[in-house]
């Protein structure tokens, strides 16, 4: 008989790689694998409570260290907003939620089911798209195009500028040639490159376009009704989605937002900080019937960014600067996704599944009973799992976390909290590939 670990344990599907919300959106197994913690249950309840048209707390901040399930929860939220509670991949999550917090599960299902239509998910990650405003507009445009709704985007200064370039090319070739030549002086290899930047809603590209236009046409400025803010664009799109296409609204989920916040710490009262405030408050919290929901996901709380800001300046923070940070934080409902020790070990227990009905497991448990009892006694004696009784240590830690030794299980979340990264978390450590199990000895 083979004595490899795959004869004794298997891994819960959906935990073998880090979650990429956009990339895993169609991964039914990954969605269904999510295990709600107590804080996650509060986030899901909050979702249900703010689906009513009169709700006014639709901007949220999810924080926590690597491996606390923030992105996985973001994935589940995206599917709940987009597809509702009846989708098969969400059903196992709701069953787990109902098993521990039946009232919260009931309210979430009731409120989401009462709201007809799907939400358009706008998904962002990190600071790869430029400024806060540019990122919101670019990713909304992308989301609409992916859903076949490109015509929902209102005319903006960006689209008007692109139309002006096309007009020059088609009707005024000499002027177009001069325009393209001037564009190279501003860093645009061709008019095509400039148009692509405008399609991506780059404010910097638009400003250069306006300057070039004025320089080439005897000081004549490029007129457009106005450069619409993301708040105005999202409001317009949410209204049209609801009235013309039967959507319930828009949900914006921005993962790895901390990379962006690191750019704001130096000037919380600057344009970027103001943009965050305006979109959170006027665009989301005050969206009423034309619903816009916002989730910013990062590793630190806003208060921690305040402390970073103080360190960066090598001095304290002025009253005005403190007020600027307070204004930003006041727009959001914050959830710290920190899990309790008990929840961590229960999660590990659910990720590593013992084949306790198999003959191999029964034989192993009988053969190793004395050693396993010794592990349990040692852990109980050292009081390293104070939230568990001895019986729970045996079933959840010693047996439930096998092949981890209880001491390894104890150290793992603490090490993960200190040195964890996106691809190096507590749960990923406990989720080797099936090949690893088939080649590892008992």
């Amino acid at each position: 008989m083979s004595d490899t670990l795959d004869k004794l344990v298997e891994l819960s599907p959906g935990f073998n790689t880090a979650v990429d919300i956009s990339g895993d959106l169609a991964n039914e197994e990954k969605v269904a694998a999510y295990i709600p913690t107590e804080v996650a249950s509060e986030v899901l309840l909050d979702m249900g409570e703010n689906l009513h048209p009169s709700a006014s707390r639709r901007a949220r901040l999810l924080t926590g260290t690597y491996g606390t399930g923030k992105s996985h929860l973001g994935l589940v939220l995206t599917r709940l907003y987009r597809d509702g509670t009846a989708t098969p991949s969400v059903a196992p999550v709701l069953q787990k939620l109902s098993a521990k917090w039946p009232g919260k599960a009931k309210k979430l299902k009731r409120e989401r089911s009462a709201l007809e239509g799907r939400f358009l998910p706008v998904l962002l990650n990190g600071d790869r798209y430029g400024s806060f405003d540019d990122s919101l507009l670019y990713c909304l445009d992308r989301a609409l195009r992916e859903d076949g709704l490109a015509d929902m985007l209102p005319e903006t200064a960006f689209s008007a500028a692109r139309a002006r370039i096309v007009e020059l090319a088609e009707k005024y070739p000499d002027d177009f040639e001069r325009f393209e030549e001037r564009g190279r002086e501003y860093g645009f290899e061709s008019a095509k490159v400039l148009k692509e930047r405008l399609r991506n809603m780059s404010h910097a590209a638009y400003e250069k376009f306006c300057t070039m236009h004025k320089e080439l046409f005897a000081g004549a400025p490029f007129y457009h009704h106005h450069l619409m803010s993301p708040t105005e664009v999202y409001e317009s799109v949410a209204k049209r989605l609801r009235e013309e296409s039967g959507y319930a609204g828009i949900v914006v989920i921005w993962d790895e937002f901390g990379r962006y916040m690191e750019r704001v710490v130096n000037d919380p009262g600057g344009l970027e900080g103001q943009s965050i405030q305006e979109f959170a408050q006027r665009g989301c919290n005050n969206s009423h019937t034309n619903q816009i929901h916002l989730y910013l996901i990062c590793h630190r709380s806003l208060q921690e960014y305040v402390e970073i800001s103080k360190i960066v300046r090598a001095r304290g923070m002025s009253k005005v600067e403190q007020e600027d940070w307070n204004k930003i934080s006041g727009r959001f409902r914050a959830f710290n996704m920190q899990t309790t020790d008990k929840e961590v070990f229960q999660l590990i227990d659910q990720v590593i599944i013992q084949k306790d009905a198999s003959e191999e497991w029964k034989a192993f448990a009988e053969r190793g009973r004395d050693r396993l009892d010794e592990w349990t006694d040692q852990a109980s004696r050292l009081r390293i799992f104070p939230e568990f009784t001895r019986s729970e240590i045996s079933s959840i830690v010693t047996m439930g976390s096998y092949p981890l030794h209880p001491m390894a299980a104890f150290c793992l979340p603490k090490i993960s909290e200190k040195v964890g990264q996106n691809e190096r978390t507590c749960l990923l450590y406990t989720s080797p590939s099936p090949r690893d199990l088939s080649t590892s000895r008992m």
Side-chain angles (χ1 to χ4, degrees):
M1 180 181 71
S2 172
D3 58 353
T4 53
L5 285 175
D6 61 333
K7 301 297 182 182
L8 300 181
V9 298
E10 61 185 350
L11 305 174
S12 176
F15 284 98
N16 58 333
T17 59
V19 173
D20 173 357
I21 298 176
S22 180
D24 288 325
L25 200 55
N27 189 333
E28 308 295 321
E29 196 174 68
K30 180 81 78 174
V31 177
Y34 183 68
I35 302 170
T37 61
E38 185 169 2
V39 177
S41 75
E42 288 296 318
V43 176
L44 293 169
L45 175 64
D46 169 80
M47 173 190 168
E49 290 176 337
N50 283 281
L51 290 173
H52 192 276
S54 63
S56 59
R57 295 292 284 178
R58 291 177 177 158
R60 295 86 159 183
L61 184 70
L62 307 185
T63 66
T65 56
Y66 287 102
T68 49
K70 304 180 299 299
S71 298
H72 210 163
L73 176 57
L75 175 64
V76 171
L77 285 166
T78 304
R79 291 298 297 269
L80 281 168
Y81 275 105
R82 192 189 72 175
D83 304 323
T85 58
T87 182
S89 61
V90 170
V93 179
L94 295 177
Q95 288 170 3
K96 297 166 199 171
L97 183 69
S98 185
K100 297 186 72 172
W101 302 282
K104 295 176 183 178
K106 184 177 180 181
K107 182 160 190 175
L108 172 61
K109 287 189 275 191
R110 182 178 69 242
E111 296 298 332
R112 182 63 187 94
S113 299
L115 189 64
E116 294 184 2
R118 61 189 297 183
F119 283 80
L120 176 76
V122 178
L123 306 177
L124 302 90
N125 188 294
D127 59 354
R128 67 183 69 170
Y129 311 107
S131 71
F132 182 81
D133 288 351
D134 289 355
S135 299
L136 286 174
L137 291 171
Y138 171 74
C139 291
L140 174 62
D141 180 60
R142 183 181 64 187
L144 288 168
R145 291 179 187 280
E146 288 175 353
D147 266 30
L149 299 165
D151 61 331
M152 285 283 174
L153 199 67
E155 184 186 40
T156 63
F158 304 108
S159 54
R162 294 202 314 272
R164 174 60 170 159
I165 294 172
V166 172
E167 181 185 33
L168 289 174
E170 293 179 350
K171 297 183 179 180
Y172 311 100
D174 292 340
D175 289 336
F176 176 74
E177 186 176 337
R178 291 169 51 232
F179 179 84
E180 196 164 36
E181 185 176 319
R182 182 59 60 90
R184 283 190 282 273
E185 296 176 13
Y186 279 85
F188 302 109
E189 184 180 338
S190 64
K192 182 179 179 181
V193 171
L194 174 56
K195 285 198 295 180
E196 187 60 29
R197 299 270 181 86
L198 292 168
R199 179 178 294 282
N200 292 344
M201 300 185 178
S202 166
H203 280 71
Y206 178 76
E207 289 171 4
K208 289 181 180 180
F209 166 82
C210 290
T211 301
M212 290 160 53
H213 193 282
K214 192 172 183 178
E215 290 175 351
L216 287 171
F217 297 102
F222 174 72
Y223 285 110
H224 185 63
H225 59 288
H226 65 311
L227 184 60
M228 295 180 74
S229 71
T231 296
E232 294 168 323
V233 173
Y234 273 73
E235 286 173 344
S236 171
V237 171
K239 187 173 187 293
R240 289 192 63 189
L241 284 172
R242 186 177 64 83
E243 294 178 351
E244 300 175 25
S245 299
Y247 280 66
I250 300 172
V251 58
V252 180
I253 298 186
W254 197 327
D255 203 3
E256 298 290 346
F257 188 76
R259 298 177 189 170
Y260 183 84
M261 285 302 295
E262 288 165 6
R263 295 163 44 187
V264 182
V265 294
N266 288 324
D267 188 15
L271 291 176
E272 299 285 63
Q274 291 174 25
S275 294
I276 296 172
Q277 286 187 62
E278 179 188 353
F279 187 73
Q281 185 59 37
R282 189 159 74 87
C284 301
N285 291 335
N286 294 340
S287 58
H288 305 305
T289 303
N290 303 312
Q291 298 191 27
I292 304 169
H293 293 257
L294 173 66
Y295 292 85
L296 303 181
I297 303 174
C298 51
H299 302 298
R300 297 185 177 97
S301 67
L302 286 177
Q303 184 56 43
E304 288 176 290
Y305 285 109
V306 169
E307 297 304 318
I308 293 173
S309 182
K310 292 178 181 177
I311 294 171
V312 168
R313 289 180 170 81
R315 61 175 175 81
M317 184 172 286
S318 71
K319 184 178 179 181
V320 172
E321 291 165 342
Q322 184 65 58
E323 288 174 352
D324 288 334
W325 274 111
N326 290 341
K327 287 176 184 176
I328 294 175
S329 62
R331 311 303 183 195
F332 294 89
R333 181 175 181 188
F335 296 90
N336 183 356
M337 297 296 295
Q338 194 65 40
T339 51
T340 66
D341 286 347
K342 190 170 187 176
E343 286 177 327
V344 169
F345 299 122
Q346 288 172 335
L347 286 171
I348 293 174
D349 179 25
Q350 294 181 66
V351 171
I352 305 175
I353 302 172
Q354 288 70 37
K355 299 181 179 180
D356 48 17
S358 70
E359 292 303 319
E360 287 88 351
W361 177 266
K362 292 176 182 177
F364 162 78
E366 180 63 30
R367 189 169 63 249
R369 179 183 300 171
D370 291 343
R371 181 180 57 177
L372 295 170
D373 283 345
E374 182 184 339
W375 288 3
T376 300
D377 289 338
Q378 186 180 33
S380 180
R381 191 166 55 250
L382 292 174
R383 301 182 182 278
I384 57 177
F385 303 104
E387 295 179 310
F388 287 141
T389 65
R390 186 196 180 283
S391 175
E392 288 174 325
I393 293 174
S394 176
S395 62
I396 296 174
V397 182
T398 304
M399 305 300 282
S401 299
Y402 186 84
L404 289 179
H405 187 286
M407 297 303 174
F410 169 75
C411 293
L412 186 56
K414 301 183 184 305
I415 294 172
S416 177
E417 186 174 341
K418 296 294 184 184
V419 301
Q421 293 182 358
N422 196 39
E423 293 285 352
R424 187 171 66 205
T425 69
C426 179
L427 292 183
L428 287 181
Y429 177 84
T430 61
S431 302
S433 69
R435 182 179 179 279
D436 291 332
L437 292 180
S438 67
T439 58
S440 299
R441 318 280 303 178
M442 294 180 191

